[in-house]
Amino acid sequence: MESVEKLELHYHLKDQSHSMDALIRNRCEAEALAAFLEIAKSLGITVSIETSAYTEGGLREIWDFIGKNNNQLTLLLAIVVLIFSRVPVAPVSDAQMDNLNKEIAKLTLEEKRLAIEKLKQELKENNVSKETLNTGAAAIQENVKIAVRRSNFYKNLVEYGKVTGVGISPVIERDIENYVDKSEFHKFVLSTNNLPVEIVEPATIEIVAPVLKEGNYQWKGIYQGELISFSMADDEFKFSVLARQVSFQHGSVIECVLKINRRFDAVGDIVITGYSVSVVLSVSDGENKNETLQGARHKAYKKFLKDQGELF
């Protein structure tokens, strides 16, 4: 037998109005539903969502969440409410992101994964603690697709003057509605769709088409089985190629520091916008592998930084 839990989204409107722009409302509904389904997917919960007749009092949208397990649905609604009503902290700037220690970033990702796994485990045991609920919701909302959909939802309402606030709650808890005032909407909206540059070191690229003349032309190579175009930002290596100190043949490979520029699109999918090689570490023709001078300097500098870190 299927279980049903009801979720209410309450648009608070000016002048005790009971109507709003249909296009804005439908866009908001599409973004909210996409986010709800992505949250359910993160938790491993199979759910379908149906709309019920909405009511006035501002404008109240009611959805039926239908699934096999009532406890799962109750948890899902609790997570949805937290993610859509808990005002985020100020976004971290690109510069700060670039300066984050990689090991700390890896640890943070692992902590988020463990928080979600703990939430799933306690859900199976029908014993989800408040602490696990909060940490799990905080981890899930870092999912790019969820963050983008939530951002789109509030972005649709930021400039719409008729809505003064939004409330969201399970229908059975309507008396303790989780309310977000219009003044807080902008805090949910992502300031940029650019992601921090991903640095791969060492990256191996098989050279397909080197650039053998001056200018900002794109090289072509095979990286992880795919043909890519990339800019060569290692000026020393470019000079050695132009001076014919380095030659290429079928199967020539470079090891390098590869920078991957990324952004997310309107639905939260990550899109690669460009590749750049900042340092060529070595060149190989399949038989011989030759380290470059700049590659040797780069490795020496990294060792220096590591040794300095171990001293303190």
Side-chain angles (χ1 to χ4, degrees):
M1 181 177 177
E2 290 186 324
S3 299
V4 180
E5 289 283 340
K6 293 181 179 290
L7 181 75
E8 179 180 275
L9 180 66
H10 181 190
Y11 299 98
H12 292 257
L13 305 175
K14 279 185 177 179
D15 303 322
Q16 298 183 329
S17 175
H18 305 304
S19 64
M20 64 183 287
D21 184 287
L23 289 176
I24 291 176
R25 178 174 166 236
N26 286 338
R27 284 199 294 264
C28 288
E29 179 179 295
E31 298 297 341
L33 290 172
F36 299 164
L37 291 173
E38 191 65 33
I39 294 168
K41 182 180 177 182
S42 298
L43 292 167
I45 297 174
T46 301
V47 65
S48 60
I49 305 175
E50 295 182 356
T51 187
S52 295
Y54 70 87
T55 60
E56 297 180 351
L59 188 66
R60 299 174 187 267
E61 190 83 55
I62 299 175
W63 289 293
D64 293 336
F65 283 65
I66 304 168
K68 299 293 185 183
N69 186 302
N70 185 259
N71 289 326
Q72 287 185 345
L73 296 178
T74 300
L75 174 70
L76 175 58
L77 264 59
I79 296 286
V80 164
V81 168
L82 282 173
I83 289 175
F84 266 76
S85 65
R86 185 162 53 189
V87 180
V89 296
V92 180
S93 70
D94 288 344
Q96 288 172 311
M97 286 294 291
D98 288 340
N99 290 329
L100 284 176
N101 181 280
K102 287 184 178 180
E103 293 305 315
I104 293 177
K106 288 179 183 177
L107 177 61
T108 301
L109 290 172
E110 180 65 9
E111 287 175 343
K112 290 175 182 175
R113 186 189 68 79
L114 291 174
I116 295 172
E117 289 303 317
K118 184 178 181 182
L119 184 59
K120 289 180 179 178
Q121 183 59 39
E122 290 188 9
L123 175 59
K124 288 180 182 178
E125 299 167 356
N126 294 327
N127 185 30
V128 179
S129 68
K130 185 175 181 180
E131 179 184 0
T132 302
L133 178 67
N134 283 310
T135 56
I140 290 170
Q141 73 182 11
E142 297 299 320
N143 178 311
V144 173
K145 289 190 175 183
I146 294 170
V148 169
R149 292 296 195 173
R150 183 182 64 176
S151 173
N152 293 343
F153 172 84
Y154 281 102
K155 189 175 182 179
N156 282 317
L157 297 174
V158 165
E159 301 299 329
Y160 183 54
K162 200 169 185 179
V163 171
T164 61
V166 168
I168 185 168
S169 62
V171 169
I172 58 173
E173 299 176 4
R174 183 180 289 169
D175 293 339
I176 50 173
E177 179 181 77
N178 294 269
Y179 176 76
V180 181
D181 190 76
K182 178 70 167 277
S183 63
E184 304 277 22
F185 286 1
H186 71 280
K187 295 181 180 178
F188 290 88
V189 178
L190 299 172
S191 59
T192 178
N193 65 345
N194 291 321
L195 291 166
V197 175
E198 180 182 0
I199 299 177
V200 182
E201 179 185 346
T204 301
I205 302 176
E206 181 181 348
I207 302 301
V208 173
V211 175
L212 304 178
K213 64 179 181 178
E214 293 186 15
N216 295 319
Y217 301 102
Q218 293 278 301
W219 292 51
K220 292 188 182 296
I222 296 174
Y223 173 63
Q224 294 187 337
E226 293 187 7
L227 181 66
I228 66 169
S229 296
F230 61 94
S231 61
M232 177 57 69
D234 186 335
D235 289 333
E236 289 184 64
F237 187 72
K238 283 202 295 188
F239 176 81
S240 65
V241 171
L242 293 174
R244 301 187 182 279
Q245 296 169 357
V246 175
S247 60
F248 299 96
Q249 60 186 39
H250 178 71
S252 290
V253 169
I254 62 170
E255 269 195 352
C256 61
V257 178
L258 180 65
K259 294 183 177 181
I260 305 175
N261 294 300
R262 306 167 300 154
R263 64 174 177 81
F264 49 82
D265 62 17
V267 298
D269 289 327
I270 296 176
V271 178
I272 294 174
T273 58
Y275 296 89
S276 173
V277 170
S278 59
V279 182
V280 176
L281 304 172
S282 66
V283 183
S284 171
D285 60 9
E287 296 181 359
N288 301 307
K289 181 177 179 179
N290 298 309
E291 185 177 47
T292 65
L293 291 175
Q294 61 271 29
R297 288 198 303 269
H298 180 78
K299 288 181 181 179
Y301 180 65
K302 285 193 66 178
K303 183 177 185 304
F304 169 76
L305 291 179
K306 181 181 178 182
D307 293 343
Q308 288 293 102
E310 291 174 352
L311 289 174
F312 296 98

